[in-house]
Amino acid sequence: MPKSKRDRPVTLSKTRKKGRGHKEAIVNAIRDAAETYSWAYVFSFENMRNLKFKEFRERLKSSSRFFLGSNKVMQVALGRSAADEIRPNIYKVSKLLHGNTGLCFTNMPKEDIERLFNEYEEYDFARTGSTATEKVELKEGPLEQFTHEMEPFLRKQGMPVRLNKGVVELLSDFVVCEEGKPLSPESARILRLLGTQMATFRLHLICRWSPEEFELYIERPEDSDVESA
């Protein structure tokens, strides 16, 4: 009897950070999921927030399983070509795993998955290096949103402030950030103090696979031969 493709031994010799055993466990878990669930989706993400993503996964826990991590390990698990793929046409999924991507195996109806991913949007504070989505400028005068204890901290962030009768006072107009420019560590801290959230954590579907069907949600990448079927 011919050996199943999913039972073939896998060589994972590169990068020993988490150990070969850990990688092989992930490979086996992905291969089990490919056999167990009806559909596999590749999704991309922007402004990942681990806690919020964990909450999203928990909502789908009864019907789905997610994998994030090394794209190369996920590609090895699925097979990188038609010759070594573990299920029919699943190598197409493998070819789309690059950059900020993950795998979702699920038994949920297509319409429900599409709705959940397309509607998902969580706002959070932007981190250092993120691009400012708007200009934020503070005008000269009292900053009553800050307590007097915060005055030394604000000065350390480069703000021209002083205490005036126990009230934090801005001595001149101060630009916290400019739209389209990366945030400095100081800008990110000030925006957090102001309660201004500029980061949006989003999930985007890239493709959908089953043994009988493959669908692209994006335009075919220029360097890929993958097409909907």
Coordinates of all heavy atoms in Angstrom, one line a residue, residues 66-121:
F66 N -6.2 27.9 14.0 CA -5.3 28.9 13.4 C -3.8 28.5 13.6 O -3.4 27.9 14.6 CB -5.5 30.3 14.0 CG -6.8 30.9 13.6 CD1 -8.0 30.6 14.2 CD2 -6.8 31.8 12.6 CE1 -9.2 31.2 13.9 CE2 -8.0 32.5 12.2 CZ -9.2 32.1 12.9
F67 N -3.0 28.9 12.6 CA -1.5 28.7 12.7 C -0.9 30.0 12.2 O -1.1 30.5 11.2 CB -1.1 27.6 11.8 CG -1.5 26.2 12.2 CD1 -2.7 25.7 11.7 CD2 -0.8 25.5 13.2 CE1 -3.2 24.4 12.2 CE2 -1.3 24.2 13.6 CZ -2.5 23.7 13.1
L68 N 0.0 30.5 13.1 CA 0.9 31.7 12.8 C 2.3 31.3 13.1 O 2.5 30.6 14.1 CB 0.5 32.9 13.6 CG -0.7 33.7 13.1 CD1 -0.9 34.9 14.1 CD2 -0.5 34.3 11.7
G69 N 3.3 31.9 12.4 CA 4.7 31.6 12.8 C 5.5 31.6 11.5 O 5.4 32.4 10.7
S70 N 6.4 30.6 11.4 CA 7.3 30.5 10.3 C 6.6 30.1 9.0 O 6.0 29.0 9.0 CB 8.4 29.5 10.6 OG 9.1 29.2 9.4
N71 N 6.6 31.0 8.0 CA 6.0 30.6 6.8 C 6.6 29.4 6.1 O 5.9 28.5 5.5 CB 6.0 31.8 5.8 CG 5.1 32.9 6.2 OD1 4.1 32.7 6.7 ND2 5.5 34.2 5.9
K72 N 7.9 29.3 6.3 CA 8.6 28.1 5.7 C 8.2 26.8 6.3 O 8.0 25.8 5.6 CB 10.1 28.3 5.9 CG 10.7 29.4 5.0 CD 12.2 29.5 5.1 CE 12.8 30.5 4.2 NZ 14.3 30.6 4.3
V73 N 8.0 26.8 7.6 CA 7.5 25.6 8.3 C 6.1 25.2 7.8 O 5.8 24.0 7.5 CB 7.5 25.7 9.8 CG1 6.9 24.5 10.5 CG2 9.0 25.9 10.3
M74 N 5.2 26.2 7.7 CA 3.9 26.0 7.2 C 3.9 25.5 5.7 O 3.1 24.6 5.3 CB 3.0 27.2 7.3 CG 2.7 27.6 8.8 SD 1.5 28.9 9.0 CE 2.4 30.4 8.4
Q75 N 4.8 26.0 4.9 CA 4.9 25.6 3.5 C 5.4 24.1 3.4 O 4.9 23.3 2.7 CB 5.9 26.5 2.8 CG 5.4 27.9 2.5 CD 6.5 28.8 2.0 OE1 7.7 28.5 2.1 NE2 6.1 30.0 1.5
V76 N 6.4 23.8 4.3 CA 6.9 22.4 4.3 C 5.7 21.5 4.7 O 5.6 20.4 4.1 CB 8.0 22.3 5.3 CG1 8.4 20.8 5.5 CG2 9.3 23.0 4.7
A77 N 4.9 21.9 5.7 CA 3.8 21.0 6.1 C 2.8 20.7 5.0 O 2.3 19.6 4.9 CB 3.1 21.7 7.3
L78 N 2.5 21.7 4.2 CA 1.5 21.6 3.2 C 2.1 21.0 1.9 O 1.4 20.3 1.1 CB 0.9 22.9 2.8 CG 0.1 23.6 4.0 CD1 -0.3 25.0 3.5 CD2 -1.0 22.8 4.4
G79 N 3.4 21.2 1.7 CA 4.0 20.8 0.4 C 4.2 22.1 -0.5 O 3.2 22.9 -0.6
R80 N 5.4 22.2 -1.0 CA 5.6 23.4 -1.8 C 5.3 23.3 -3.3 O 5.4 24.3 -4.0 CB 7.1 23.8 -1.6 CG 7.4 24.2 -0.2 CD 8.9 24.6 -0.1 NE 9.2 25.1 1.2 CZ 10.4 25.6 1.6 NH1 11.4 25.5 0.8 NH2 10.6 26.0 2.8
S81 N 5.0 22.1 -3.7 CA 4.7 21.9 -5.2 C 3.7 20.7 -5.3 O 3.4 20.1 -4.3 CB 6.0 21.5 -5.9 OG 6.5 20.2 -5.5
A82 N 3.2 20.6 -6.5 CA 2.3 19.5 -6.8 C 2.9 18.1 -6.5 O 2.1 17.2 -6.1 CB 1.8 19.6 -8.2
A83 N 4.2 18.0 -6.6 CA 4.9 16.7 -6.3 C 4.9 16.3 -4.9 O 4.8 15.1 -4.6 CB 6.3 16.8 -6.9
D84 N 4.9 17.3 -3.9 CA 5.0 16.9 -2.5 C 3.8 17.4 -1.7 O 3.9 17.4 -0.5 CB 6.3 17.3 -1.9 CG 6.5 18.8 -1.9 OD1 5.6 19.6 -2.4 OD2 7.6 19.3 -1.5
E85 N 2.8 17.9 -2.3 CA 1.6 18.4 -1.6 C 0.9 17.3 -0.8 O 0.9 16.1 -1.3 CB 0.6 19.1 -2.5 CG 0.0 18.2 -3.5 CD -0.9 19.0 -4.5 OE1 -1.0 20.2 -4.4 OE2 -1.6 18.3 -5.3
I86 N 0.3 17.6 0.3 CA -0.3 16.5 1.1 C -1.8 16.3 0.8 O -2.3 15.3 1.2 CB -0.2 16.8 2.6 CG1 -0.8 18.2 3.0 CG2 1.3 16.9 3.0 CD1 -1.1 18.4 4.4
R87 N -2.4 17.3 0.1 CA -3.8 17.2 -0.4 C -3.8 17.8 -1.8 O -3.0 18.6 -2.1 CB -4.8 17.9 0.6 CG -4.8 17.5 2.0 CD -5.4 16.1 2.3 NE -6.7 15.9 1.7 CZ -7.9 16.3 2.2 NH1 -7.9 16.9 3.4 NH2 -9.0 16.0 1.6
P88 N -4.8 17.4 -2.6 CA -4.9 17.9 -3.9 C -4.9 19.5 -4.0 O -5.8 20.1 -3.3 CB -6.2 17.3 -4.5 CG -6.4 16.1 -3.6 CD -5.9 16.4 -2.3
N89 N -4.0 20.0 -4.7 CA -3.9 21.5 -5.0 C -3.6 22.3 -3.8 O -3.7 23.6 -3.8 CB -5.3 22.0 -5.6 CG -5.3 21.6 -7.1 OD1 -4.3 21.6 -7.8 ND2 -6.6 21.3 -7.5
I90 N -3.3 21.7 -2.6 CA -3.0 22.5 -1.4 C -1.6 23.2 -1.6 O -1.3 24.1 -0.8 CB -3.1 21.7 -0.2 CG1 -3.4 22.6 1.0 CG2 -1.8 20.9 0.1 CD1 -3.8 21.8 2.3
Y91 N -0.8 22.8 -2.5 CA 0.5 23.5 -2.8 C 0.2 25.0 -3.1 O 1.0 25.9 -2.9 CB 1.3 22.8 -3.8 CG 0.9 23.2 -5.3 CD1 1.6 24.2 -5.9 CD2 -0.1 22.5 -5.9 CE1 1.2 24.5 -7.2 CE2 -0.5 22.8 -7.2 CZ 0.2 23.8 -7.9 OH -0.2 24.1 -9.2
K92 N -1.0 25.3 -3.7 CA -1.3 26.7 -4.1 C -1.4 27.5 -2.8 O -1.1 28.7 -2.8 CB -2.7 26.7 -4.8 CG -2.6 26.0 -6.2 CD -4.0 26.1 -6.9 CE -3.9 25.5 -8.3 NZ -5.2 25.7 -9.0
V93 N -1.9 26.9 -1.7 CA -2.0 27.6 -0.5 C -0.6 27.9 0.0 O -0.3 29.1 0.5 CB -2.7 26.8 0.6 CG1 -2.6 27.4 2.0 CG2 -4.2 26.6 0.2
S94 N 0.3 27.0 -0.1 CA 1.7 27.1 0.3 C 2.4 28.3 -0.4 O 3.1 29.0 0.3 CB 2.4 25.8 0.1 OG 3.7 25.9 0.5
K95 N 2.1 28.4 -1.7 CA 2.7 29.5 -2.4 C 2.3 30.9 -2.0 O 3.0 31.8 -2.3 CB 2.4 29.3 -3.9 CG 3.2 28.2 -4.6 CD 2.8 28.0 -6.1 CE 3.7 27.1 -6.8 NZ 5.0 27.7 -7.1
L96 N 1.2 31.0 -1.3 CA 0.7 32.3 -0.9 C 1.1 32.6 0.6 O 0.7 33.7 1.1 CB -0.8 32.4 -1.1 CG -1.2 32.3 -2.5 CD1 -2.7 32.1 -2.6 CD2 -0.8 33.6 -3.3
L97 N 1.9 31.8 1.2 CA 2.3 32.0 2.6 C 3.7 32.8 2.6 O 4.7 32.2 2.5 CB 2.5 30.7 3.3 CG 1.2 30.0 3.7 CD1 1.4 28.5 4.1 CD2 0.5 30.7 4.8
H98 N 3.6 34.1 2.6 CA 4.8 34.9 2.7 C 4.5 36.2 3.3 O 3.3 36.7 3.1 CB 5.5 35.0 1.3 CG 4.6 35.5 0.2 ND1 4.2 36.8 0.1 CD2 4.0 34.8 -0.8 CE1 3.5 36.9 -1.0 NE2 3.3 35.8 -1.5
G99 N 5.4 36.8 4.0 CA 5.1 38.1 4.7 C 4.3 37.8 5.9 O 4.4 36.8 6.6
N100 N 3.4 38.8 6.2 CA 2.6 38.7 7.4 C 1.3 37.9 7.1 O 0.2 38.4 6.9 CB 2.2 40.1 7.9 CG 3.4 40.9 8.4 OD1 4.3 40.3 9.0 ND2 3.4 42.2 8.2
T101 N 1.5 36.5 7.1 CA 0.3 35.7 6.8 C 0.2 34.6 7.8 O 1.1 34.3 8.6 CB 0.5 35.0 5.4 OG1 1.8 34.4 5.4 CG2 0.5 36.1 4.3
G102 N -1.0 33.9 7.8 CA -1.3 32.8 8.7 C -2.3 31.9 8.0 O -2.8 32.2 6.9
L103 N -2.5 30.7 8.6 CA -3.4 29.7 8.1 C -4.7 29.6 9.0 O -4.5 29.6 10.3 CB -2.7 28.4 8.1 CG -1.9 28.0 6.9 CD1 -1.1 26.7 7.1 CD2 -2.7 27.9 5.6
C104 N -5.8 29.4 8.4 CA -7.0 29.1 9.2 C -7.7 27.9 8.6 O -8.1 28.0 7.4 CB -8.0 30.3 9.2 SG -9.6 30.0 9.9
F105 N -7.8 26.8 9.4 CA -8.5 25.7 8.9 C -9.9 25.7 9.6 O -10.0 26.0 10.8 CB -7.8 24.4 9.3 CG -6.5 24.2 8.6 CD1 -5.3 24.6 9.1 CD2 -6.5 23.5 7.4 CE1 -4.1 24.4 8.4 CE2 -5.3 23.3 6.7 CZ -4.1 23.8 7.2
T106 N -11.0 25.4 8.9 CA -12.3 25.6 9.5 C -13.3 24.7 8.8 O -13.2 24.3 7.7 CB -12.7 27.1 9.3 OG1 -13.9 27.3 10.0 CG2 -12.9 27.5 7.9
N107 N -14.4 24.5 9.6 CA -15.6 23.9 9.1 C -16.8 24.9 8.9 O -17.9 24.5 8.6 CB -16.0 22.7 10.0 CG -15.1 21.6 10.0 OD1 -14.5 21.2 8.9 ND2 -14.9 20.9 11.1
M108 N -16.5 26.1 9.2 CA -17.5 27.2 9.1 C -17.9 27.4 7.6 O -17.0 27.3 6.8 CB -17.1 28.5 9.8 CG -16.9 28.4 11.3 SD -16.5 30.0 11.9 CE -18.0 31.0 11.6
P109 N -19.2 27.8 7.4 CA -19.6 28.1 6.0 C -18.7 29.3 5.5 O -18.3 30.2 6.2 CB -21.0 28.5 6.2 CG -21.5 27.8 7.4 CD -20.3 27.8 8.3
K110 N -18.5 29.3 4.2 CA -17.7 30.3 3.5 C -18.3 31.7 3.9 O -17.5 32.6 4.2 CB -17.8 30.1 2.0 CG -17.3 31.2 1.2 CD -17.5 31.0 -0.3 CE -17.2 32.2 -1.1 NZ -17.5 32.1 -2.6
E111 N -19.6 31.9 3.8 CA -20.2 33.2 4.1 C -19.8 33.7 5.5 O -19.6 34.9 5.7 CB -21.7 33.2 3.9 CG -22.1 32.9 2.4 CD -22.0 31.4 2.1 OE1 -21.8 30.6 3.0 OE2 -22.0 31.1 0.9
D112 N -19.8 32.9 6.5 CA -19.6 33.3 7.8 C -18.1 33.7 8.0 O -17.8 34.7 8.7 CB -19.9 32.1 8.8 CG -21.4 31.9 8.9 OD1 -22.2 32.7 8.4 OD2 -21.8 30.8 9.4
I113 N -17.2 32.9 7.4 CA -15.8 33.2 7.5 C -15.5 34.6 6.8 O -14.8 35.4 7.4 CB -14.9 32.1 6.9 CG1 -14.8 30.9 7.9 CG2 -13.5 32.6 6.6 CD1 -14.0 31.1 9.1
E114 N -16.0 34.7 5.6 CA -15.8 36.0 4.9 C -16.3 37.2 5.7 O -15.7 38.2 5.8 CB -16.5 35.9 3.5 CG -15.8 34.9 2.6 CD -16.5 34.8 1.3 OE1 -17.6 35.3 1.1 OE2 -15.9 34.2 0.4
R115 N -17.5 37.0 6.3 CA -18.1 38.1 7.1 C -17.2 38.4 8.3 O -16.9 39.6 8.6 CB -19.5 37.8 7.5 CG -20.1 38.8 8.4 CD -21.6 38.4 8.8 NE -21.6 37.1 9.4 CZ -21.3 36.8 10.6 NH1 -20.9 37.8 11.4 NH2 -21.3 35.6 11.1
L116 N -16.8 37.4 9.0 CA -16.0 37.6 10.2 C -14.7 38.3 9.9 O -14.3 39.2 10.6 CB -15.8 36.3 10.9 CG -16.9 35.7 11.7 CD1 -16.7 34.2 12.1 CD2 -17.2 36.5 12.9
F117 N -14.0 37.9 8.9 CA -12.7 38.5 8.5 C -12.9 39.9 8.0 O -12.1 40.8 8.3 CB -12.0 37.6 7.5 CG -11.2 36.5 8.2 CD1 -11.7 35.3 8.6 CD2 -9.8 36.6 8.3 CE1 -11.0 34.3 9.2 CE2 -9.0 35.6 8.9 CZ -9.6 34.5 9.3
N118 N -13.9 40.1 7.1 CA -14.0 41.4 6.5 C -14.5 42.4 7.4 O -14.2 43.6 7.3 CB -15.0 41.3 5.3 CG -14.5 40.4 4.1 OD1 -13.3 40.3 4.0 ND2 -15.4 39.9 3.3
E119 N -15.3 42.0 8.4 CA -15.8 43.0 9.4 C -14.8 43.3 10.6 O -15.0 44.2 11.3 CB -17.1 42.5 10.0 CG -18.3 42.5 9.0 CD -19.6 42.0 9.6 OE1 -19.5 41.5 10.7 OE2 -20.6 42.0 8.9
Y120 N -13.8 42.4 10.7 CA -12.9 42.5 11.9 C -12.1 43.8 11.8 O -11.4 44.0 10.8 CB -12.1 41.3 12.0 CG -11.3 41.3 13.3 CD1 -11.9 40.9 14.5 CD2 -9.9 41.7 13.3 CE1 -11.2 40.9 15.7 CE2 -9.2 41.7 14.5 CZ -9.8 41.3 15.7 OH -9.1 41.4 16.9
E121 N -12.1 44.5 12.9 CA -11.3 45.8 12.9 C -11.2 46.2 14.4 O -12.2 46.4 15.1 CB -12.0 46.9 12.1 CG -11.2 48.1 11.7 CD -11.9 49.0 10.7 OE1 -12.9 49.6 11.2 OE2 -11.5 49.0 9.6

